[in-house]
Amino acid sequence: SSDVCSSDLLCGREWERVGENAQWEPLVLALLSTVAPDAIPRSIFRVGPDELQDALQAWLKELNHYSLIELQEEELSIHRLVQEVIRRSEACPDRKASLEITIPVLGQANPGAGFQHWEAHRKLEPHWKECWEGIQREGVVSEEAGGLLNQYAYYLDDQDRKSTRLNSSHLVIS
């Protein structure tokens, strides 16, 4: 749907510029179209084999070059309109397929449970939420989806307990 595309990059005609990394095009598009648009931890793009890592970093640099994303040291952001253009491009998998690609990647980006990982969880939370909403909307049923929902629920429960403890200690101190 070239009428929707504001850049050849989004329609797939310029993906070859990144050379042999073209095989990863659907994965990159799926990730960028599925996660929340703001403060995307770059750790999400640091999972998988070295070959995938190299491809993802090349895509991110290329997208940044075209000002389609904003790269910072530890995170990136993408404009919601750019996400919509990606979703409508022929090169991007459909919504359900994009979720099925993104869910295990987000699951692998989780550093683990526990207090020491709360900051990383805080950064992943909007992306877990975006996937949770997509899982419900698209009816995705898989072991990976269940695992991601469990990670998200554990984080929310942990934060709720922390909040309750803080509120309780505040009441006792006052």
Side-chain angles (χ1 to χ4, degrees):
S1 51
S2 58
D3 56 318
V4 176
C5 295
S6 61
S7 165
D8 284 347
L9 181 68
L10 294 176
C11 290
R13 287 184 288 277
E14 290 294 323
W15 291 110
E16 302 84 45
R17 294 190 65 209
V18 192
E20 62 202 38
N21 296 324
Q23 66 185 354
W24 301 108
E25 174 188 353
L27 180 126
V28 175
L29 290 173
L31 287 170
L32 290 174
S33 71
T34 306
V35 297
D38 302 316
I40 304 166
R42 287 185 75 169
S43 62
I44 290 174
F45 298 93
R46 293 185 186 124
V47 298
D50 290 342
E51 179 183 65
L52 173 58
Q53 290 306 299
D54 295 342
L56 288 172
Q57 296 312 311
W59 288 120
L60 294 178
K61 286 179 184 171
E62 190 73 11
L63 291 168
N64 189 55
H65 172 74
Y66 282 92
S67 299
L68 298 173
I69 63 171
E70 183 181 330
L71 277 178
Q72 297 170 357
E73 191 167 324
E74 290 299 317
E75 60 188 34
L76 64 104
S77 60
I78 182 168
H79 194 281
R80 292 176 196 282
L81 291 174
V82 173
Q83 273 190 319
E84 191 57 36
V85 170
I86 290 172
R87 286 184 191 121
R88 292 180 183 211
S89 78
E90 293 171 5
C92 185
D94 66 33
R95 283 280 183 79
K96 188 171 184 176
S98 291
L99 277 164
E100 290 168 344
I101 291 168
T102 303
I103 289 166
V105 172
L106 276 178
Q108 290 176 29
N110 182 13
F115 173 77
Q116 68 274 23
H117 300 297
W118 279 2
E119 181 63 21
H121 290 163
R122 185 189 61 73
K123 291 177 180 180
L124 287 169
E125 192 270 335
H127 312 291
W128 285 338
K129 182 179 183 213
E130 193 77 23
C131 278
W132 175 72
E133 291 170 355
I135 287 167
Q136 289 184 315
R137 184 177 52 252
E138 299 297 327
V140 175
V141 178
S142 69
E143 188 174 322
E144 291 88 0
L148 186 71
L149 294 176
N150 281 336
Q151 290 174 1
Y152 184 36
Y154 180 82
Y155 165 77
L156 292 175
D157 183 57
D158 204 29
Q159 291 301 300
D160 185 50
R161 280 187 270 133
K162 174 187 169 201
S163 175
T164 302
R165 281 193 304 270
L166 290 175
N167 289 338
S168 298
S169 65
H170 178 69
L171 292 173
V172 172
I173 295 171
S174 298

